[in-house]
Amino acid sequence: MAVILSRFSLIPAFYLTAKYGDQGWMILLTSFLNGHLTVCVMTEAPTGYKGPEQNALGNLLVTFLLAGIFSGVVLDWLWLIDKGW
């Protein structure tokens, strides 16, 4: 929960980077927001379990990750169609 709430601290970081920073800092913030936290959760979540439970949790995490990616793509595609692209 603390990691989830700490993502709100990135809002001022993005604002300050857009106003005063360079493009490299923006790329670093974006990659941290999108990729780093996902990798941390996907590798650390199953470590507290053993055997079949660990495998099932890993499968569940991947299923929800793929469902999120797929729904994001579909909604983005529908948004572009609505805009007339």
Side-chain angles (χ1 to χ4, degrees):
M1 190 63 146
V3 173
I4 292 169
L5 293 175
S6 70
R7 291 178 73 164
F8 286 112
S9 69
L10 292 174
I11 294 172
F14 274 105
Y15 174 75
L16 292 173
T17 303
K19 190 164 181 123
Y20 303 111
D22 196 13
Q23 184 178 5
W25 288 107
M26 189 63 78
I27 291 171
L28 178 75
L29 281 173
T30 305
S31 65
F32 179 74
L33 179 67
N34 293 335
H36 182 70
L37 291 174
T38 303
V39 170
C40 288
V41 169
M42 298 286 276
T43 56
E44 290 295 322
T47 57
Y49 298 95
K50 301 257 189 270
E53 291 89 8
Q54 190 175 25
N55 191 17
L57 182 60
N59 290 339
L60 191 65
L61 287 171
V62 169
T63 301
F64 279 106
L65 178 68
L66 291 176
I69 291 171
F70 179 74
S71 63
V73 167
V74 168
L75 290 173
D76 197 31
W77 181 71
L78 290 174
W79 180 73
L80 287 176
I81 287 176
D82 186 46
K83 292 287 185 183
W85 289 45

